[in-house]
Amino acid sequence: MNDRYQRPLHDLRISVIDRCNFRCVYCMPKEVYGQAFQFLPRAELLTFEEITRIATVFARLGVKKIRLTGGEPLIRRDIEHLVAQLAAIPGIDDIAMTTNGSLLTLEKATQLRAAGLKRITVSLDALDETIFQAINDVGYPAARVLQAIDHAAAAGLNPVKVNMVVKRGVNESQIIPMAEYFRGTGHVLRFIEYMDVGTLNGWRLDDVVSAEEILTVIDRQFPLEPLPPRQPGEVARRFRYRDGRGEIGLIASVTQPFCRHCNRARLAADGQLYTCLFNGTGHDLKALVRSGASDEELADTIRQIWTVRQDRYSELRTQETRNLPKVEMFRMGG
Ligand code: SAM
Ligand code: SF4
Ligand code: SF4
């Protein structure tokens, strides 16, 4: 099943909750998401059964890979039960999760792995405690995220990917320390260009440290060479250290957009379906499910949405597009 630009539907990102225990300045700035902010009430969240049912229909339509995200996915209680349900869907061959790591104990990592989670990405933007705690804005220590990465590895979720969003004037000083720390560990550090997701992070093009710049900085210290993509349209450009001490990824969503190959749909915690990270409106699958629609009707709806999809926001991005109405990333699922 292809969209208007011949892109197949292959990946489904599922946000399981809009809440988070961090207030990262580029995602959920504290001034906006303070005590008074109303997150989704429980009854508005899709249940595990509803998520599994929708994912099963997606699998029939060609989805092979699922990533659980949020908000912070590990805040959702018993999330490993959802992993187990998703792992049992015929056609789903890869289940991954993106997490801030704060709730990733060794026990949790082990349960997730046993339930069928194949891969995990832990976000960490700095090793320096002052810088990291200023970014997450709740004083959460980088040292504890490093422990979470160790727990994931000990539970067999290898290689662990580590996501670092680089924002100018905030954490570019951490590029080399992060590269140095993760070299030789078997974990894959991925540098992500700071994006104009949502409407509230005050994004400016000047704040973006380009993948090219990151590459130059690292290569000067630790020489790199490119690796071929594992599959066509892979989001991260891969490089390996010439001395054999592992690889890194660069995700140049702003300076080298990859819309051409974008094969992802996003299911938000409230059951809205989005076909692009930068959509301003979604399609209400929860209403459909709760009104008693059959699997066939659900499949028809998704087919109608995907086959007319024309999203390519990042290819069209300008300083002005940041002001378009967009759903916030923690709600849609990053
Ligand atoms: N809470 C989890 C976490 O932080 O890993 C999962 C959700 S979070 C929205 C998913 C990923 O999006 C994280 O790696 C985060 O760093 C990244 N992200 C959030 N805001 C971003 C932005 N403005 N530009 C680029 N990446 C961003
Ligand atoms: Fe929470 Fe992840 Fe957003 Fe940070 S990036 S506020 S950890 S959802
Ligand atoms: Fe896909 Fe939209 Fe990102 Fe382009 S901007 S890669 S279409 S999610």
Side-chain angles (χ1 to χ4, degrees):
M1 187 175 74
N2 287 347
D3 70 6
R4 284 272 166 87
Y5 297 124
Q6 304 309 314
R7 298 170 296 189
L9 172 59
H10 188 273
D11 289 14
L12 180 63
R13 295 202 159 210
I14 303 175
S15 170
V16 292
I17 193 155
D18 58 342
R19 283 164 208 267
C20 186
N21 52 347
F22 285 12
R23 285 294 177 273
C24 301
V25 288
Y26 51 69
C27 179
M28 291 175 90
K30 219 181 206 167
E31 312 79 69
V32 186
Y33 302 100
Q35 295 287 351
F37 187 79
Q38 293 286 317
F39 288 96
L40 291 169
R42 207 184 156 76
E44 293 302 317
L45 297 178
L46 291 177
T47 64
F48 287 173
E49 286 63 38
E50 287 169 337
I51 292 174
T52 305
R53 174 159 176 232
I54 295 172
T56 307
V57 173
F58 269 100
R60 274 179 38 205
L61 293 170
V63 163
K64 304 250 175 299
K65 181 176 150 193
I66 290 177
R67 177 171 294 272
L68 299 177
T69 178
E72 174 44 47
L74 293 178
I75 288 184
R76 187 88 189 241
R77 204 172 306 141
D78 299 329
I79 186 78
E80 61 279 7
H81 296 172
L82 175 64
V83 171
Q85 288 177 30
L86 296 173
I89 298 174
I92 297 299
D93 50 32
D94 189 14
I95 304 180
M97 179 183 285
T98 304
T99 170
N100 64 24
S102 59
L103 301 171
L104 193 64
T105 57
L106 179 58
E107 187 191 4
K108 194 62 156 183
T110 308
Q111 287 168 348
L112 288 166
R113 171 91 203 281
L117 192 77
K118 289 244 173 82
R119 298 178 303 125
I120 200 155
T121 301
V122 180
S123 303
L124 177 64
D125 298 326
L127 287 182
D128 178 277
E129 290 293 354
T130 309
I131 298 177
F132 184 61
Q133 293 179 30
I135 293 175
N136 66 55
D137 216 6
V138 293
Y140 195 85
R144 298 212 20 218
V145 181
L146 293 175
Q147 277 173 6
I149 294 169
D150 291 345
H151 294 152
L157 291 163
N158 290 302
V160 181
K161 286 186 186 158
V162 179
N163 272 4
M164 171 177 177
V165 176
V166 186
K167 187 173 174 194
R168 190 171 310 282
V170 175
N171 65 339
E172 79 256 58
S173 67
Q174 295 296 293
I175 295 171
I176 292 293
M178 287 280 286
E180 191 161 22
Y181 181 90
F182 287 106
R183 263 162 58 81
T185 59
H187 309 320
V188 179
L189 178 58
R190 292 147 28 109
F191 298 89
I192 303 179
E193 289 180 351
Y194 170 52
M195 291 186 286
D196 49 338
V197 295
T199 52
L200 300 165
N201 65 9
W203 184 88
R204 296 178 320 139
L205 193 51
D206 291 349
D207 295 333
V208 179
V209 181
S210 73
E212 228 26 70
E213 197 177 329
I214 296 168
L215 187 62
T216 307
V217 169
I218 301 174
D219 184 59
R220 212 180 291 139
Q221 186 100 7
F222 307 116
L224 290 163
E225 62 193 6
L227 282 170
R230 269 207 213 92
Q231 61 224 23
E234 198 169 39
V235 175
R237 287 165 56 209
R238 300 166 59 220
F239 292 84
R240 87 174 144 221
Y241 294 112
R242 285 182 191 264
D243 63 6
R245 302 203 65 206
E247 69 173 81
I248 61 161
L250 289 167
I251 305 182
S253 352
V254 177
T255 61
Q256 296 164 45
F258 30 80
C259 301
R260 199 154 307 201
H261 300 288
C262 179
N263 53 18
R264 296 177 174 169
R266 292 182 147 85
L267 180 64
D270 60 357
Q272 293 283 328
L273 176 66
Y274 300 96
T275 55
C276 174
L277 181 55
F278 298 91
N279 284 166
T281 54
H283 307 269
D284 193 354
L285 296 190
K286 183 178 71 198
L288 208 60
V289 166
R290 293 195 180 169
S291 67
S294 67
D295 285 357
E296 228 15 86
E297 284 167 327
L298 258 175
D300 276 347
T301 303
I302 297 167
R303 217 178 270 121
Q304 279 163 25
I305 294 166
W306 191 264
T307 51
V308 300
R309 172 181 187 249
Q310 299 195 62
D311 303 295
R312 52 190 203 94
Y313 177 92
S314 289
E315 289 181 349
L316 306 172
R317 177 187 281 113
T318 62
Q319 188 65 42
E320 281 67 48
T321 52
R322 81 183 177 98
N323 295 322
L324 290 172
K326 287 180 233 143
V327 175
E328 299 306 318
M329 191 185 200
F330 68 88
R331 173 150 288 167
M332 179 185 292

